[in-house]
Amino acid sequence: MTDETTERKPLGPEERRERRRLRREKQRADNYARAEKMHIARLAAPDSDPQHTSSRPEQSAYVGCSGWFYWKWRGKFYPEQMATGEWFRHYADQFDTVEINASFYSWPTVANVKSWLRQPGDRQFVYTIKVCELITHIKKFEDTETLVKDFGMIADILGERMGCFLFQLPPSYRFSEERLTAILSQLDPARRNVVEFRHASWWNDTVYAAFQKTGTIFCSCSGPRLPDVLVRTSDDIYLRLHGPERWYRHDYSENELAQWADKIRSSGAKRAWVYFNNDYEGFAPKNALTMRRLLADRTAGSLLPAAAPGTEALDA
């Protein structure tokens, strides 16, 4: 007879990897079905093709983290004894925006999005949504125009809580003019679209000019082997801080953050979106709070006097 009280043997590294692989395969298979359900929901909506416009965020600087539910943040950002059900409330008490990363791995359902809408209560809170990998990593913008429209329904549901759509491409995705055209031709100009590249070949004047022409936001990155510059192609700038030498693990010093803050102020942008993705060791919320403080005197009105959109690449 099996003793039900016997503890299970801990999984070894290979078993954990295999379990993760199987979970990711299932997620990817499920994304097709989830996308189809949102497609049906979009077509069935009262205004299936509305003349939508981007929401109008009130602030000129939004600073937060890429995700908010991380076990390693317990005891560092979340009090040790705080129930996980209280974590979002604790996060939203200190930040007014978050970059939703779960939507990259698992295409959200309409119910998911409506729960995000309710989650902040009466707080002023804005979401940036990372676009599902089905578009950016599986299909890589090949014949994805309908999928992009379907995913855009999220903004219609979130309304004034909608910030940006973040399209992140894989590191192997190198620049070509054909790829640049394919991406920009499928984006809805009525949305606030941000594109993040992970290959340095995309940091070039051809890309900057095309982004400026279409009003697309080029995602500046602090990441290994990527140009350490702040690029502005619209009235909004967008910065993701992953860690300059190691992905997701760097603890930014105040001096490093002050340099980025200076570049943000000097960019001429009307609005800045800044998200910390160095979450592995729990550094993200600490660093984000420091950046908020550094930009605090610029959170109302414009970051700088109005300037025409440019294609500046400012050394950080």
Side-chain angles (χ1 to χ4, degrees):
M1 180 180 294
T2 302
D3 184 356
E4 295 181 358
T5 65
T6 301
E7 294 186 2
R8 292 182 178 179
K9 181 181 178 181
L11 296 176
E14 301 239 342
E15 292 172 304
R16 287 198 297 271
R17 278 194 293 271
E18 178 63 12
R19 183 168 290 189
R20 283 196 298 268
R21 186 187 67 79
L22 293 173
R23 183 171 64 247
R24 292 290 290 119
E25 281 187 1
K26 185 178 187 307
Q27 280 181 320
R28 285 171 171 163
D30 289 347
N31 281 338
Y32 287 90
R34 284 168 167 252
E36 179 61 24
K37 287 181 179 179
M38 187 164 282
H39 176 71
I40 293 170
R42 178 173 68 85
L43 296 180
D47 295 311
S48 60
D49 189 21
Q51 295 297 311
H52 50 256
T53 57
S54 295
S55 61
R56 298 280 189 269
E58 296 179 358
Q59 297 174 195
S60 63
Y62 284 90
V63 182
C65 301
S66 299
W68 55 270
F69 194 99
Y70 297 102
W71 292 107
K72 287 188 177 181
W73 290 14
R74 172 175 270 167
K76 294 181 178 179
F77 177 66
Y78 299 119
E80 192 71 45
Q81 302 305 317
M82 178 178 283
T84 56
E86 296 296 313
W87 284 9
F88 182 83
R89 176 194 58 78
H90 182 81
Y91 178 92
D93 283 344
Q94 300 185 60
F95 297 104
D96 46 29
T97 187
V98 71
E99 196 179 72
I100 296 290
N101 272 333
S103 51
F104 173 79
Y105 300 101
S106 183
W107 189 294
T109 64
V110 170
N112 291 150
V113 181
K114 289 181 177 179
S115 72
W116 299 341
L117 186 62
R118 296 188 299 268
Q119 198 168 224
D122 58 1
R123 298 176 181 84
Q124 296 294 317
F125 196 87
V126 174
Y127 294 98
T128 277
I129 311 299
K130 191 172 180 182
V131 174
C132 185
E133 66 172 352
L134 178 59
I135 294 171
T136 58
H137 284 57
I138 306 302
K139 290 183 172 292
K140 298 179 182 177
F141 275 102
E142 293 184 6
D143 300 318
T144 56
E145 187 172 2
T146 298
L147 288 173
V148 171
K149 287 181 180 178
D150 295 338
F151 201 87
M153 185 182 179
I154 292 172
D156 297 329
I157 298 172
L158 289 179
E160 290 303 309
R161 293 204 184 279
M162 181 67 199
C164 306
F165 280 120
L166 172 66
F167 296 81
Q168 178 199 305
L169 279 302
S172 60
Y173 195 78
R174 294 170 176 264
F175 166 76
S176 76
E177 293 196 17
E178 291 77 14
R179 286 176 168 178
L180 175 62
T181 299
I183 293 170
L184 296 181
S185 66
Q186 294 182 61
L187 300 183
D188 183 344
R191 311 295 190 189
R192 192 176 291 105
N193 299 304
V194 182
V195 182
E196 180 186 18
F197 299 107
R198 293 288 179 89
H199 194 279
S201 60
W202 291 89
W203 273 253
N204 69 67
D205 290 340
T206 298
V207 174
Y208 301 160
F211 271 49
Q212 180 183 348
K213 184 177 181 180
T214 57
T216 308
I217 304 167
F218 187 97
C219 181
S220 301
C221 295
S222 172
R225 298 176 299 283
L226 296 177
D228 204 22
V229 297
L230 185 67
V231 179
R232 177 184 165 225
T233 58
S234 75
D235 285 339
D236 290 62
I237 54 174
Y238 198 102
L239 171 64
R240 300 189 86 205
L241 296 108
H242 307 287
E245 297 177 357
R246 298 180 67 205
W247 290 100
Y248 320 127
R249 290 173 169 82
H250 185 71
D251 184 9
Y252 287 88
S253 68
E254 178 148 348
N255 181 60
E256 288 175 306
L257 296 177
Q259 291 181 49
W260 280 110
D262 288 344
K263 299 307 175 185
I264 290 170
R265 294 193 189 98
S266 300
S267 68
K270 292 182 179 179
R271 184 175 296 108
W273 305 84
V274 183
Y275 293 99
F276 286 81
N277 197 27
N278 52 335
D279 55 74
Y280 277 12
E281 304 300 330
F283 296 131
K286 179 186 72 168
N287 291 167
L289 288 170
T290 299
M291 180 64 87
R292 273 177 59 95
R293 174 171 56 78
L294 291 169
L295 293 174
D297 60 340
R298 299 287 185 175
T299 55
S302 295
L303 288 166
L304 277 179
T311 57
E312 296 86 353
L314 306 176
D315 291 334

mmCIF file with all atom_site columns, all heavy atoms in Angstrom, residues 9-10 15 24 78 83 95 108 140 152 170 192 197 200 206 214 231 243 246 250 258 271 293:
data_model
loop_
_atom_site.group_PDB
_atom_site.id
_atom_site.type_symbol
_atom_site.label_atom_id
_atom_site.label_alt_id
_atom_site.label_comp_id
_atom_site.label_asym_id
_atom_site.label_entity_id
_atom_site.label_seq_id
_atom_site.pdbx_PDB_ins_code
_atom_site.Cartn_x
_atom_site.Cartn_y
_atom_site.Cartn_z
_atom_site.occupancy
_atom_site.B_iso_or_equiv
_atom_site.pdbx_formal_charge
_atom_site.auth_seq_id
_atom_site.auth_comp_id
_atom_site.auth_asym_id
_atom_site.auth_atom_id
_atom_site.pdbx_PDB_model_num
ATOM 1   N N   . LYS A 1 9   ? 9.409  12.711 -4.590  1.00 0.00 ? 9   LYS A N   1
ATOM 2   C CA  . LYS A 1 9   ? 10.821 12.944 -4.846  1.00 0.00 ? 9   LYS A CA  1
ATOM 3   C C   . LYS A 1 9   ? 10.982 14.191 -5.707  1.00 0.00 ? 9   LYS A C   1
ATOM 4   O O   . LYS A 1 9   ? 10.289 14.359 -6.701  1.00 0.00 ? 9   LYS A O   1
ATOM 5   C CB  . LYS A 1 9   ? 11.418 11.738 -5.575  1.00 0.00 ? 9   LYS A CB  1
ATOM 6   C CG  . LYS A 1 9   ? 12.899 11.861 -5.862  1.00 0.00 ? 9   LYS A CG  1
ATOM 7   C CD  . LYS A 1 9   ? 13.395 10.631 -6.602  1.00 0.00 ? 9   LYS A CD  1
ATOM 8   C CE  . LYS A 1 9   ? 14.864 10.763 -6.949  1.00 0.00 ? 9   LYS A CE  1
ATOM 9   N NZ  . LYS A 1 9   ? 15.370 9.578  -7.700  1.00 0.00 ? 9   LYS A NZ  1
ATOM 10  N N   . PRO A 1 10  ? 11.854 15.122 -5.319  1.00 0.00 ? 10  PRO A N   1
ATOM 11  C CA  . PRO A 1 10  ? 12.039 16.346 -6.111  1.00 0.00 ? 10  PRO A CA  1
ATOM 12  C C   . PRO A 1 10  ? 12.466 16.007 -7.541  1.00 0.00 ? 10  PRO A C   1
ATOM 13  O O   . PRO A 1 10  ? 13.202 15.051 -7.782  1.00 0.00 ? 10  PRO A O   1
ATOM 14  C CB  . PRO A 1 10  ? 13.172 17.071 -5.364  1.00 0.00 ? 10  PRO A CB  1
ATOM 15  C CG  . PRO A 1 10  ? 13.150 16.514 -3.980  1.00 0.00 ? 10  PRO A CG  1
ATOM 16  C CD  . PRO A 1 10  ? 12.700 15.086 -4.118  1.00 0.00 ? 10  PRO A CD  1
ATOM 17  N N   . GLU A 1 15  ? 14.169 16.550 -15.758 1.00 0.00 ? 15  GLU A N   1
ATOM 18  C CA  . GLU A 1 15  ? 12.713 16.367 -15.641 1.00 0.00 ? 15  GLU A CA  1
ATOM 19  C C   . GLU A 1 15  ? 12.008 17.724 -15.644 1.00 0.00 ? 15  GLU A C   1
ATOM 20  O O   . GLU A 1 15  ? 10.944 17.874 -16.249 1.00 0.00 ? 15  GLU A O   1
ATOM 21  C CB  . GLU A 1 15  ? 12.388 15.604 -14.358 1.00 0.00 ? 15  GLU A CB  1
ATOM 22  C CG  . GLU A 1 15  ? 12.858 14.149 -14.365 1.00 0.00 ? 15  GLU A CG  1
ATOM 23  C CD  . GLU A 1 15  ? 12.696 13.502 -13.013 1.00 0.00 ? 15  GLU A CD  1
ATOM 24  O OE1 . GLU A 1 15  ? 13.227 14.032 -12.022 1.00 0.00 ? 15  GLU A OE1 1
ATOM 25  O OE2 . GLU A 1 15  ? 12.030 12.448 -12.950 1.00 0.00 ? 15  GLU A OE2 1
ATOM 26  N N   . ARG A 1 24  ? 5.100  24.441 -22.547 1.00 0.00 ? 24  ARG A N   1
ATOM 27  C CA  . ARG A 1 24  ? 5.190  25.450 -23.587 1.00 0.00 ? 24  ARG A CA  1
ATOM 28  C C   . ARG A 1 24  ? 4.543  24.946 -24.889 1.00 0.00 ? 24  ARG A C   1
ATOM 29  O O   . ARG A 1 24  ? 3.882  25.711 -25.597 1.00 0.00 ? 24  ARG A O   1
ATOM 30  C CB  . ARG A 1 24  ? 6.666  25.812 -23.840 1.00 0.00 ? 24  ARG A CB  1
ATOM 31  C CG  . ARG A 1 24  ? 7.328  26.533 -22.701 1.00 0.00 ? 24  ARG A CG  1
ATOM 32  C CD  . ARG A 1 24  ? 6.796  27.952 -22.522 1.00 0.00 ? 24  ARG A CD  1
ATOM 33  N NE  . ARG A 1 24  ? 7.229  28.800 -23.611 1.00 0.00 ? 24  ARG A NE  1
ATOM 34  C CZ  . ARG A 1 24  ? 6.403  29.417 -24.451 1.00 0.00 ? 24  ARG A CZ  1
ATOM 35  N NH1 . ARG A 1 24  ? 5.104  29.269 -24.316 1.00 0.00 ? 24  ARG A NH1 1
ATOM 36  N NH2 . ARG A 1 24  ? 6.859  30.186 -25.408 1.00 0.00 ? 24  ARG A NH2 1
ATOM 37  N N   . TYR A 1 78  ? 7.346  42.097 -1.885  1.00 0.00 ? 78  TYR A N   1
ATOM 38  C CA  . TYR A 1 78  ? 6.128  41.724 -1.183  1.00 0.00 ? 78  TYR A CA  1
ATOM 39  C C   . TYR A 1 78  ? 6.481  41.229 0.209   1.00 0.00 ? 78  TYR A C   1
ATOM 40  O O   . TYR A 1 78  ? 7.412  40.414 0.362   1.00 0.00 ? 78  TYR A O   1
ATOM 41  C CB  . TYR A 1 78  ? 5.382  40.623 -1.949  1.00 0.00 ? 78  TYR A CB  1
ATOM 42  C CG  . TYR A 1 78  ? 4.946  41.035 -3.330  1.00 0.00 ? 78  TYR A CG  1
ATOM 43  C CD1 . TYR A 1 78  ? 5.408  40.362 -4.463  1.00 0.00 ? 78  TYR A CD1 1
ATOM 44  C CD2 . TYR A 1 78  ? 4.081  42.107 -3.515  1.00 0.00 ? 78  TYR A CD2 1
ATOM 45  C CE1 . TYR A 1 78  ? 5.021  40.744 -5.741  1.00 0.00 ? 78  TYR A CE1 1
ATOM 46  C CE2 . TYR A 1 78  ? 3.690  42.492 -4.794  1.00 0.00 ? 78  TYR A CE2 1
ATOM 47  C CZ  . TYR A 1 78  ? 4.164  41.810 -5.894  1.00 0.00 ? 78  TYR A CZ  1
ATOM 48  O OH  . TYR A 1 78  ? 3.773  42.199 -7.156  1.00 0.00 ? 78  TYR A OH  1
ATOM 49  N N   . ALA A 1 83  ? -0.430 37.365 1.491   1.00 0.00 ? 83  ALA A N   1
ATOM 50  C CA  . ALA A 1 83  ? -1.047 36.379 0.591   1.00 0.00 ? 83  ALA A CA  1
ATOM 51  C C   . ALA A 1 83  ? -0.872 36.822 -0.858  1.00 0.00 ? 83  ALA A C   1
ATOM 52  O O   . ALA A 1 83  ? -0.906 38.016 -1.167  1.00 0.00 ? 83  ALA A O   1
ATOM 53  C CB  . ALA A 1 83  ? -2.526 36.236 0.918   1.00 0.00 ? 83  ALA A CB  1
ATOM 54  N N   . PHE A 1 95  ? 2.914  51.604 -7.985  1.00 0.00 ? 95  PHE A N   1
ATOM 55  C CA  . PHE A 1 95  ? 3.116  51.878 -9.406  1.00 0.00 ? 95  PHE A CA  1
ATOM 56  C C   . PHE A 1 95  ? 1.773  52.108 -10.078 1.00 0.00 ? 95  PHE A C   1
ATOM 57  O O   . PHE A 1 95  ? 0.748  51.573 -9.639  1.00 0.00 ? 95  PHE A O   1
ATOM 58  C CB  . PHE A 1 95  ? 3.833  50.710 -10.089 1.00 0.00 ? 95  PHE A CB  1
ATOM 59  C CG  . PHE A 1 95  ? 5.222  50.454 -9.568  1.00 0.00 ? 95  PHE A CG  1
ATOM 60  C CD1 . PHE A 1 95  ? 5.468  49.379 -8.722  1.00 0.00 ? 95  PHE A CD1 1
ATOM 61  C CD2 . PHE A 1 95  ? 6.273  51.291 -9.913  1.00 0.00 ? 95  PHE A CD2 1
ATOM 62  C CE1 . PHE A 1 95  ? 6.735  49.130 -8.229  1.00 0.00 ? 95  PHE A CE1 1
ATOM 63  C CE2 . PHE A 1 95  ? 7.556  51.046 -9.431  1.00 0.00 ? 95  PHE A CE2 1
ATOM 64  C CZ  . PHE A 1 95  ? 7.792  49.970 -8.581  1.00 0.00 ? 95  PHE A CZ  1
ATOM 65  N N   . PRO A 1 108 ? -4.560 35.946 -24.409 1.00 0.00 ? 108 PRO A N   1
ATOM 66  C CA  . PRO A 1 108 ? -5.592 36.174 -23.384 1.00 0.00 ? 108 PRO A CA  1
ATOM 67  C C   . PRO A 1 108 ? -7.000 35.902 -23.916 1.00 0.00 ? 108 PRO A C   1
ATOM 68  O O   . PRO A 1 108 ? -7.280 36.082 -25.102 1.00 0.00 ? 108 PRO A O   1
ATOM 69  C CB  . PRO A 1 108 ? -5.418 37.658 -23.030 1.00 0.00 ? 108 PRO A CB  1
ATOM 70  C CG  . PRO A 1 108 ? -4.107 38.069 -23.612 1.00 0.00 ? 108 PRO A CG  1
ATOM 71  C CD  . PRO A 1 108 ? -3.864 37.187 -24.790 1.00 0.00 ? 108 PRO A CD  1
ATOM 72  N N   . LYS A 1 140 ? 6.032  35.242 -37.083 1.00 0.00 ? 140 LYS A N   1
ATOM 73  C CA  . LYS A 1 140 ? 6.998  36.314 -37.393 1.00 0.00 ? 140 LYS A CA  1
ATOM 74  C C   . LYS A 1 140 ? 6.452  37.290 -38.431 1.00 0.00 ? 140 LYS A C   1
ATOM 75  O O   . LYS A 1 140 ? 7.107  37.643 -39.399 1.00 0.00 ? 140 LYS A O   1
ATOM 76  C CB  . LYS A 1 140 ? 8.330  35.704 -37.865 1.00 0.00 ? 140 LYS A CB  1
ATOM 77  C CG  . LYS A 1 140 ? 8.994  34.837 -36.803 1.00 0.00 ? 140 LYS A CG  1
ATOM 78  C CD  . LYS A 1 140 ? 10.290 34.216 -37.298 1.00 0.00 ? 140 LYS A CD  1
ATOM 79  C CE  . LYS A 1 140 ? 10.894 33.332 -36.220 1.00 0.00 ? 140 LYS A CE  1
ATOM 80  N NZ  . LYS A 1 140 ? 12.124 32.653 -36.675 1.00 0.00 ? 140 LYS A NZ  1
ATOM 81  N N   . GLY A 1 152 ? -5.821 43.326 -31.133 1.00 0.00 ? 152 GLY A N   1
ATOM 82  C CA  . GLY A 1 152 ? -6.131 44.720 -30.842 1.00 0.00 ? 152 GLY A CA  1
ATOM 83  C C   . GLY A 1 152 ? -7.430 44.920 -30.101 1.00 0.00 ? 152 GLY A C   1
ATOM 84  O O   . GLY A 1 152 ? -7.661 45.982 -29.510 1.00 0.00 ? 152 GLY A O   1
ATOM 85  N N   . PRO A 1 170 ? 12.268 38.008 -32.031 1.00 0.00 ? 170 PRO A N   1
ATOM 86  C CA  . PRO A 1 170 ? 13.332 37.154 -31.482 1.00 0.00 ? 170 PRO A CA  1
ATOM 87  C C   . PRO A 1 170 ? 14.732 37.633 -31.868 1.00 0.00 ? 170 PRO A C   1
ATOM 88  O O   . PRO A 1 170 ? 14.900 38.361 -32.851 1.00 0.00 ? 170 PRO A O   1
ATOM 89  C CB  . PRO A 1 170 ? 13.037 35.781 -32.092 1.00 0.00 ? 170 PRO A CB  1
ATOM 90  C CG  . PRO A 1 170 ? 12.252 36.061 -33.329 1.00 0.00 ? 170 PRO A CG  1
ATOM 91  C CD  . PRO A 1 170 ? 11.447 37.303 -33.045 1.00 0.00 ? 170 PRO A CD  1
ATOM 92  N N   . ARG A 1 192 ? -1.298 52.471 -30.023 1.00 0.00 ? 192 ARG A N   1
ATOM 93  C CA  . ARG A 1 192 ? 0.036  52.915 -29.626 1.00 0.00 ? 192 ARG A CA  1
ATOM 94  C C   . ARG A 1 192 ? 0.948  51.696 -29.703 1.00 0.00 ? 192 ARG A C   1
ATOM 95  O O   . ARG A 1 192 ? 1.035  50.895 -28.781 1.00 0.00 ? 192 ARG A O   1
ATOM 96  C CB  . ARG A 1 192 ? -0.009 53.502 -28.204 1.00 0.00 ? 192 ARG A CB  1
ATOM 97  C CG  . ARG A 1 192 ? 1.245  54.247 -27.798 1.00 0.00 ? 192 ARG A CG  1
ATOM 98  C CD  . ARG A 1 192 ? 1.100  54.894 -26.423 1.00 0.00 ? 192 ARG A CD  1
ATOM 99  N NE  . ARG A 1 192 ? 0.158  55.999 -26.458 1.00 0.00 ? 192 ARG A NE  1
ATOM 100 C CZ  . ARG A 1 192 ? -1.087 55.956 -25.969 1.00 0.00 ? 192 ARG A CZ  1
ATOM 101 N NH1 . ARG A 1 192 ? -1.541 54.851 -25.392 1.00 0.00 ? 192 ARG A NH1 1
ATOM 102 N NH2 . ARG A 1 192 ? -1.881 57.002 -26.043 1.00 0.00 ? 192 ARG A NH2 1
ATOM 103 N N   . PHE A 1 197 ? 13.205 45.051 -30.912 1.00 0.00 ? 197 PHE A N   1
ATOM 104 C CA  . PHE A 1 197 ? 14.084 44.127 -31.614 1.00 0.00 ? 197 PHE A CA  1
ATOM 105 C C   . PHE A 1 197 ? 15.169 43.643 -30.662 1.00 0.00 ? 197 PHE A C   1
ATOM 106 O O   . PHE A 1 197 ? 15.586 44.356 -29.754 1.00 0.00 ? 197 PHE A O   1
ATOM 107 C CB  . PHE A 1 197 ? 14.719 44.812 -32.830 1.00 0.00 ? 197 PHE A CB  1
ATOM 108 C CG  . PHE A 1 197 ? 13.716 45.291 -33.844 1.00 0.00 ? 197 PHE A CG  1
ATOM 109 C CD1 . PHE A 1 197 ? 13.439 46.650 -33.977 1.00 0.00 ? 197 PHE A CD1 1
ATOM 110 C CD2 . PHE A 1 197 ? 13.038 44.394 -34.653 1.00 0.00 ? 197 PHE A CD2 1
ATOM 111 C CE1 . PHE A 1 197 ? 12.509 47.097 -34.906 1.00 0.00 ? 197 PHE A CE1 1
ATOM 112 C CE2 . PHE A 1 197 ? 12.110 44.835 -35.584 1.00 0.00 ? 197 PHE A CE2 1
ATOM 113 C CZ  . PHE A 1 197 ? 11.840 46.194 -35.709 1.00 0.00 ? 197 PHE A CZ  1
ATOM 114 N N   . ALA A 1 200 ? 20.894 43.711 -33.207 1.00 0.00 ? 200 ALA A N   1
ATOM 115 C CA  . ALA A 1 200 ? 21.405 45.076 -33.340 1.00 0.00 ? 200 ALA A CA  1
ATOM 116 C C   . ALA A 1 200 ? 21.281 45.646 -34.746 1.00 0.00 ? 200 ALA A C   1
ATOM 117 O O   . ALA A 1 200 ? 21.382 46.863 -34.932 1.00 0.00 ? 200 ALA A O   1
ATOM 118 C CB  . ALA A 1 200 ? 22.872 45.122 -32.896 1.00 0.00 ? 200 ALA A CB  1
ATOM 119 N N   . THR A 1 206 ? 17.276 53.753 -41.645 1.00 0.00 ? 206 THR A N   1
ATOM 120 C CA  . THR A 1 206 ? 16.142 53.320 -42.461 1.00 0.00 ? 206 THR A CA  1
ATOM 121 C C   . THR A 1 206 ? 14.962 52.935 -41.581 1.00 0.00 ? 206 THR A C   1
ATOM 122 O O   . THR A 1 206 ? 13.810 53.302 -41.849 1.00 0.00 ? 206 THR A O   1
ATOM 123 C CB  . THR A 1 206 ? 16.543 52.121 -43.353 1.00 0.00 ? 206 THR A CB  1
ATOM 124 O OG1 . THR A 1 206 ? 17.592 52.521 -44.239 1.00 0.00 ? 206 THR A OG1 1
ATOM 125 C CG2 . THR A 1 206 ? 15.363 51.620 -44.168 1.00 0.00 ? 206 THR A CG2 1
ATOM 126 N N   . THR A 1 214 ? 5.301  56.288 -39.800 1.00 0.00 ? 214 THR A N   1
ATOM 127 C CA  . THR A 1 214 ? 4.082  55.570 -39.423 1.00 0.00 ? 214 THR A CA  1
ATOM 128 C C   . THR A 1 214 ? 3.658  55.831 -37.977 1.00 0.00 ? 214 THR A C   1
ATOM 129 O O   . THR A 1 214 ? 2.648  55.279 -37.527 1.00 0.00 ? 214 THR A O   1
ATOM 130 C CB  . THR A 1 214 ? 4.275  54.055 -39.618 1.00 0.00 ? 214 THR A CB  1
ATOM 131 O OG1 . THR A 1 214 ? 5.411  53.622 -38.845 1.00 0.00 ? 214 THR A OG1 1
ATOM 132 C CG2 . THR A 1 214 ? 4.498  53.724 -41.080 1.00 0.00 ? 214 THR A CG2 1
ATOM 133 N N   . VAL A 1 231 ? 16.321 55.821 -28.428 1.00 0.00 ? 231 VAL A N   1
ATOM 134 C CA  . VAL A 1 231 ? 15.851 56.168 -29.769 1.00 0.00 ? 231 VAL A CA  1
ATOM 135 C C   . VAL A 1 231 ? 14.442 56.742 -29.679 1.00 0.00 ? 231 VAL A C   1
ATOM 136 O O   . VAL A 1 231 ? 13.574 56.170 -29.021 1.00 0.00 ? 231 VAL A O   1
ATOM 137 C CB  . VAL A 1 231 ? 15.854 54.939 -30.696 1.00 0.00 ? 231 VAL A CB  1
ATOM 138 C CG1 . VAL A 1 231 ? 15.332 55.307 -32.080 1.00 0.00 ? 231 VAL A CG1 1
ATOM 139 C CG2 . VAL A 1 231 ? 17.260 54.349 -30.791 1.00 0.00 ? 231 VAL A CG2 1
ATOM 140 N N   . GLY A 1 243 ? 19.034 44.626 -18.294 1.00 0.00 ? 243 GLY A N   1
ATOM 141 C CA  . GLY A 1 243 ? 20.360 44.405 -17.725 1.00 0.00 ? 243 GLY A CA  1
ATOM 142 C C   . GLY A 1 243 ? 21.399 44.520 -18.820 1.00 0.00 ? 243 GLY A C   1
ATOM 143 O O   . GLY A 1 243 ? 21.285 43.826 -19.834 1.00 0.00 ? 243 GLY A O   1
ATOM 144 N N   . ARG A 1 246 ? 23.944 41.007 -18.359 1.00 0.00 ? 246 ARG A N   1
ATOM 145 C CA  . ARG A 1 246 ? 23.267 39.714 -18.173 1.00 0.00 ? 246 ARG A CA  1
ATOM 146 C C   . ARG A 1 246 ? 21.772 39.956 -18.223 1.00 0.00 ? 246 ARG A C   1
ATOM 147 O O   . ARG A 1 246 ? 21.252 40.847 -17.559 1.00 0.00 ? 246 ARG A O   1
ATOM 148 C CB  . ARG A 1 246 ? 23.654 39.077 -16.827 1.00 0.00 ? 246 ARG A CB  1
ATOM 149 C CG  . ARG A 1 246 ? 25.122 38.749 -16.675 1.00 0.00 ? 246 ARG A CG  1
ATOM 150 C CD  . ARG A 1 246 ? 25.377 38.121 -15.305 1.00 0.00 ? 246 ARG A CD  1
ATOM 151 N NE  . ARG A 1 246 ? 24.748 36.812 -15.186 1.00 0.00 ? 246 ARG A NE  1
ATOM 152 C CZ  . ARG A 1 246 ? 24.402 36.262 -14.016 1.00 0.00 ? 246 ARG A CZ  1
ATOM 153 N NH1 . ARG A 1 246 ? 24.597 36.914 -12.885 1.00 0.00 ? 246 ARG A NH1 1
ATOM 154 N NH2 . ARG A 1 246 ? 23.845 35.066 -13.985 1.00 0.00 ? 246 ARG A NH2 1
ATOM 155 N N   . HIS A 1 250 ? 20.483 42.189 -13.634 1.00 0.00 ? 250 HIS A N   1
ATOM 156 C CA  . HIS A 1 250 ? 21.308 43.330 -13.237 1.00 0.00 ? 250 HIS A CA  1
ATOM 157 C C   . HIS A 1 250 ? 20.593 44.226 -12.225 1.00 0.00 ? 250 HIS A C   1
ATOM 158 O O   . HIS A 1 250 ? 19.408 44.516 -12.363 1.00 0.00 ? 250 HIS A O   1
ATOM 159 C CB  . HIS A 1 250 ? 21.674 44.149 -14.474 1.00 0.00 ? 250 HIS A CB  1
ATOM 160 C CG  . HIS A 1 250 ? 22.611 45.274 -14.203 1.00 0.00 ? 250 HIS A CG  1
ATOM 161 N ND1 . HIS A 1 250 ? 23.934 45.080 -13.891 1.00 0.00 ? 250 HIS A ND1 1
ATOM 162 C CD2 . HIS A 1 250 ? 22.417 46.627 -14.192 1.00 0.00 ? 250 HIS A CD2 1
ATOM 163 C CE1 . HIS A 1 250 ? 24.521 46.246 -13.722 1.00 0.00 ? 250 HIS A CE1 1
ATOM 164 N NE2 . HIS A 1 250 ? 23.626 47.200 -13.899 1.00 0.00 ? 250 HIS A NE2 1
ATOM 165 N N   . ALA A 1 258 ? 20.288 57.416 -13.401 1.00 0.00 ? 258 ALA A N   1
ATOM 166 C CA  . ALA A 1 258 ? 20.305 58.866 -13.614 1.00 0.00 ? 258 ALA A CA  1
ATOM 167 C C   . ALA A 1 258 ? 20.711 59.200 -15.046 1.00 0.00 ? 258 ALA A C   1
ATOM 168 O O   . ALA A 1 258 ? 20.193 60.155 -15.642 1.00 0.00 ? 258 ALA A O   1
ATOM 169 C CB  . ALA A 1 258 ? 21.247 59.529 -12.613 1.00 0.00 ? 258 ALA A CB  1
ATOM 170 N N   . ARG A 1 271 ? 5.889  61.919 -23.855 1.00 0.00 ? 271 ARG A N   1
ATOM 171 C CA  . ARG A 1 271 ? 5.538  60.877 -22.875 1.00 0.00 ? 271 ARG A CA  1
ATOM 172 C C   . ARG A 1 271 ? 6.592  59.784 -22.912 1.00 0.00 ? 271 ARG A C   1
ATOM 173 O O   . ARG A 1 271 ? 7.084  59.412 -23.976 1.00 0.00 ? 271 ARG A O   1
ATOM 174 C CB  . ARG A 1 271 ? 4.162  60.295 -23.179 1.00 0.00 ? 271 ARG A CB  1
ATOM 175 C CG  . ARG A 1 271 ? 3.684  59.268 -22.158 1.00 0.00 ? 271 ARG A CG  1
ATOM 176 C CD  . ARG A 1 271 ? 2.259  58.805 -22.455 1.00 0.00 ? 271 ARG A CD  1
ATOM 177 N NE  . ARG A 1 271 ? 1.321  59.913 -22.320 1.00 0.00 ? 271 ARG A NE  1
ATOM 178 C CZ  . ARG A 1 271 ? 0.710  60.508 -23.340 1.00 0.00 ? 271 ARG A CZ  1
ATOM 179 N NH1 . ARG A 1 271 ? 0.943  60.091 -24.584 1.00 0.00 ? 271 ARG A NH1 1
ATOM 180 N NH2 . ARG A 1 271 ? -0.124 61.509 -23.140 1.00 0.00 ? 271 ARG A NH2 1
ATOM 181 N N   . ARG A 1 293 ? 11.402 58.233 -8.876  1.00 0.00 ? 293 ARG A N   1
ATOM 182 C CA  . ARG A 1 293 ? 11.875 59.386 -8.096  1.00 0.00 ? 293 ARG A CA  1
ATOM 183 C C   . ARG A 1 293 ? 12.700 60.333 -8.962  1.00 0.00 ? 293 ARG A C   1
ATOM 184 O O   . ARG A 1 293 ? 12.547 61.553 -8.884  1.00 0.00 ? 293 ARG A O   1
ATOM 185 C CB  . ARG A 1 293 ? 12.692 58.901 -6.898  1.00 0.00 ? 293 ARG A CB  1
ATOM 186 C CG  . ARG A 1 293 ? 13.357 60.024 -6.096  1.00 0.00 ? 293 ARG A CG  1
ATOM 187 C CD  . ARG A 1 293 ? 13.962 59.517 -4.812  1.00 0.00 ? 293 ARG A CD  1
ATOM 188 N NE  . ARG A 1 293 ? 14.910 58.444 -5.013  1.00 0.00 ? 293 ARG A NE  1
ATOM 189 C CZ  . ARG A 1 293 ? 16.167 58.634 -5.433  1.00 0.00 ? 293 ARG A CZ  1
ATOM 190 N NH1 . ARG A 1 293 ? 16.612 59.842 -5.721  1.00 0.00 ? 293 ARG A NH1 1
ATOM 191 N NH2 . ARG A 1 293 ? 16.986 57.592 -5.574  1.00 0.00 ? 293 ARG A NH2 1
#
